[in-house]
Amino acid sequence: MNRKRIAHIMRERGISGVTRRGRKSLTRPAKRAVPAPDLIARDFTAPAPGMKLVGDITYIPTDEGWLYLAT
């Protein structure tokens, strides 16, 4: 089926597509903010377990709101 056929069927049955809103930035850095120092110099290999520990946070949109996942 091509695009026109799908559009025709959707119009016939009163179906419309859903357009998501644009994403907004969650964090805005301060104008005078100084970046944190890179203490591990992007070298994530370690000689033994527990020598280098790093963390991260991510935001996941769900039907009930934002889910914050931190590691």
Side-chain angles (χ1 to χ4, degrees):
M1 292 193 174
N2 66 21
R3 199 172 177 180
K4 289 181 182 179
R5 176 75 176 146
I6 299 298
H8 175 73
I9 292 171
M10 287 176 71
R11 262 194 317 273
E12 204 174 63
R13 298 184 180 176
I15 301 172
S16 63
V18 175
T19 304
R20 291 183 180 236
R21 291 182 283 146
R23 293 186 60 166
K24 292 182 180 178
S25 177
L26 297 176
T27 56
R28 292 181 187 89
K31 302 250 184 220
R32 299 180 195 178
V34 178
D38 186 359
L39 300 177
I40 60 172
R42 297 289 173 201
D43 179 19
F44 297 103
T45 58
M51 297 296 290
K52 293 183 180 178
L53 303 172
V54 296
D56 191 23
I57 187 168
T58 188
Y59 309 95
I60 303 168
T62 66
D63 289 338
E64 296 179 7
W66 287 98
L67 175 68
Y68 302 96
L69 176 64
T71 61

